[in-house]
Amino acid sequence: MIPMRYEDEVDVFKCNFFHKASNMEILNEIKCLAGVERPVIFPMRAFSDEIIDFLNELSERIRRNEVLRRNEEAAAFGFWCRKSHLLDMKKKYDNEENKIGLGLIFHIAPSNISTVFAYSFAIGLLSGNANVVRISKRNSDTAMEICGLLQELFRNPKYENIKKRTSIITYEKNKSITDGYSDLCNGRVIWGGDKAINEIRKSPLKLMAKEIIFPNRYSLCILNTLYILNMEKEELEILAHKFYNDTYNMDQNACSSPKIIFWSGGNSKEKREAQNKWWKFVYKEASKLYNLSENKVSLKYSTLCECAINCEEIQRVKRYDNLLYVADLKEVPANIESLNGRFGLFFQYELINIKEIESYVNERIQTLTYAGFDKNYLINFVIENHLKGIDRIVPIGQALDMNVMWDGMNLIERLSRSIM
């Protein structure tokens, strides 16, 4: 149990927050979904056995839950926080024994991906911190189900320390509330678009508080033409399923879902044959798994029309009924962000030489997924060509895999301190 002298921090938290809030009624707008309303700020050792056991039990409950185990996002999070994986992370990323949390971390999670709040919370815990996690009022059923499991775990006296250091909350956008939490925290983690981040950053932090932001980022995919041409049917089915998980599974909303598919190697005829082969398998996979609503069809078609009007680089579009549109680019637009593919709208470009990619990479490019290349070759390509972007290089199928290394940062190191 937490020593009694730390219980006083609950009152300090309450007094500071009331002082920052313009009136006490504002606090009534905050709904606690899991944990406590006012967490105790009690730094712990990073990767403690207590935290690892807690997250492992959460993993087991997710895998037993009828709703969550059928949800790919939730199942992936449950797999991520199993004990064996956490111990592997500890071995790989915790290279200093005397590492302790910063104190209190205020996480602001996005509304478009339901499990980001859970990953952010878990990383905050693994770093040794108390955590306030704000999720959107528009939170999904998946997020609420995970919060329910957390509440169940918190009923176990074994996890009383973690409960007292956890506050998963929701409230409508309210600067006074964000001001209050920001003033209290030792670190702030913001997931969201540029506009949302700029608004949140109007709430000042303490001078020594750390901040991690995850603004708009974009990703690319590169396919080896000859590799695709030479793949057997079973291999292509597996690869197409992995590509589906990287893209359709999040409606292409994730920053790590590719904006453009690059084709490298082979001549023009071979590229066209490989493309026809590839997209037929992707279409087949989407037709088995994807829930394409009428609203998505309408939004995808209107997006395609907007792109066709505003992007003169689009050469032609091939439709595989409403499930899949593939737009060929004669050039890559200067503003890659304008290629807003979603719900099964993809853009592809044929590279004359892989070195062309240099021209299209900037600091906004986060992940490069690939098939048919050696990973070390691609890593060396980024380093030796002094590219400002591409922080992750992973095989197709791993675009959405979360890690404590994200956007080129070791999140455990950023959210903890070392005692020398």
Side-chain angles (χ1 to χ4, degrees), residues 103-204:
L104 177 69
I105 307 301
F106 180 29
H107 309 255
I108 301 175
S111 59
N112 62 332
I113 302 177
S114 59
T115 53
V116 167
F117 89 94
Y119 284 109
S120 200
F121 168 59
I123 290 170
L125 281 179
L126 290 168
S127 306
N129 294 290
N131 298 275
V132 173
V133 185
R134 187 261 179 182
I135 64 178
S136 170
K137 281 279 191 179
R138 304 190 305 276
N139 52 69
S140 67
D141 293 341
T142 300
M144 293 303 295
E145 196 76 24
I146 293 173
C147 287
L149 292 185
L150 288 170
Q151 282 293 68
E152 289 177 12
L153 280 172
F154 288 147
R155 295 190 188 105
N156 187 337
K158 178 182 177 182
Y159 300 124
E160 184 69 14
N161 282 355
I162 300 173
K163 176 182 177 180
K164 288 182 177 180
R165 298 165 60 247
T166 298
S167 184
I168 298 179
I169 59 172
T170 186
Y171 61 87
E172 294 288 358
K173 292 178 182 178
N174 186 308
K175 188 174 183 300
S176 294
I177 297 175
T178 302
D179 285 347
Y181 283 119
S182 296
D183 183 67
L184 288 168
C185 71
N186 305 99
R188 184 168 64 187
V189 180
I190 312 173
W191 304 80
D194 295 358
K195 183 178 178 181
I197 289 173
N198 285 329
E199 282 300 311
I200 293 166
R201 294 181 96 178
K202 292 176 182 177
S203 296

Side-chain angles (χ1 to χ4, degrees), residues 11-12 32 42 84 113 206 245 284 346 390 413:
D11 292 328
V12 173
C32 184
F42 181 66
S84 59
I113 302 177
K206 292 185 289 193
N245 286 340
K284 182 179 177 183
F346 297 96
I390 302 181
E413 287 189 357

Side-chain angles (χ1 to χ4, degrees), residues 8-234:
D8 295 338
E9 294 202 27
V10 176
D11 292 328
V12 173
F13 184 99
K14 179 178 177 180
C15 291
N16 285 346
F17 199 97
F18 281 4
H19 176 70
K20 280 291 172 184
S22 60
N23 61 70
M24 291 181 61
E25 290 182 3
I26 287 177
L27 297 179
N28 295 328
E29 297 180 21
I30 304 169
K31 181 180 180 182
C32 184
L33 303 174
V36 297
E37 291 183 355
R38 303 180 180 93
V40 175
I41 304 172
F42 181 66
M44 293 177 65
R45 188 184 294 274
F47 284 104
S48 71
D49 292 341
E50 181 181 2
I51 296 301
I52 288 174
D53 288 343
F54 172 78
L55 291 173
N56 183 63
E57 188 163 344
L58 176 60
S59 171
E60 291 174 354
R61 289 182 181 235
I62 288 172
R63 284 179 281 173
R64 292 198 302 266
N65 184 283
E66 289 292 335
V67 175
L68 294 177
R69 70 183 183 185
R70 293 195 300 267
N71 180 286
E72 294 205 31
E73 290 179 60
F77 172 68
F79 190 72
W80 182 88
C81 61
R82 71 198 190 284
K83 189 169 187 175
S84 59
H85 183 237
L86 298 178
L87 291 174
D88 284 344
M89 282 198 293
K90 179 177 181 178
K91 185 177 180 180
K92 186 174 182 179
Y93 296 110
D94 187 28
N95 51 15
E96 298 173 10
E97 274 190 32
N98 303 319
K99 191 176 287 182
I100 189 172
L102 298 176
L104 177 69
I105 307 301
F106 180 29
H107 309 255
I108 301 175
S111 59
N112 62 332
I113 302 177
S114 59
T115 53
V116 167
F117 89 94
Y119 284 109
S120 200
F121 168 59
I123 290 170
L125 281 179
L126 290 168
S127 306
N129 294 290
N131 298 275
V132 173
V133 185
R134 187 261 179 182
I135 64 178
S136 170
K137 281 279 191 179
R138 304 190 305 276
N139 52 69
S140 67
D141 293 341
T142 300
M144 293 303 295
E145 196 76 24
I146 293 173
C147 287
L149 292 185
L150 288 170
Q151 282 293 68
E152 289 177 12
L153 280 172
F154 288 147
R155 295 190 188 105
N156 187 337
K158 178 182 177 182
Y159 300 124
E160 184 69 14
N161 282 355
I162 300 173
K163 176 182 177 180
K164 288 182 177 180
R165 298 165 60 247
T166 298
S167 184
I168 298 179
I169 59 172
T170 186
Y171 61 87
E172 294 288 358
K173 292 178 182 178
N174 186 308
K175 188 174 183 300
S176 294
I177 297 175
T178 302
D179 285 347
Y181 283 119
S182 296
D183 183 67
L184 288 168
C185 71
N186 305 99
R188 184 168 64 187
V189 180
I190 312 173
W191 304 80
D194 295 358
K195 183 178 178 181
I197 289 173
N198 285 329
E199 282 300 311
I200 293 166
R201 294 181 96 178
K202 292 176 182 177
S203 296
L205 295 169
K206 292 185 289 193
L207 287 178
M208 291 187 64
K210 294 184 179 180
E211 183 173 57
I212 301 174
I213 62 169
F214 297 100
N216 291 337
R217 300 291 301 272
Y218 308 96
S219 298
L220 307 172
C221 176
I222 185 167
L223 296 175
N224 184 314
T225 301
L226 300 180
Y227 177 77
I228 298 297
L229 277 177
N230 292 323
M231 291 184 81
E232 299 294 333
K233 175 178 178 289
E234 292 78 11

Side-chain angles (χ1 to χ4, degrees), residues 231-239 277 281 284:
M231 291 184 81
E232 299 294 333
K233 175 178 178 289
E234 292 78 11
E235 295 173 314
L236 265 171
E237 286 175 343
I238 292 170
L239 189 62
K277 183 178 182 181
F281 276 87
K284 182 179 177 183

Side-chain angles (χ1 to χ4, degrees), residues 222-226 262-266 271 349-354 373:
I222 185 167
L223 296 175
N224 184 314
T225 301
L226 300 180
F262 287 118
W263 290 89
S264 179
K271 283 188 172 76
Y349 178 74
E350 298 178 4
L351 296 169
I352 298 173
N353 185 294
I354 194 171
F373 291 89

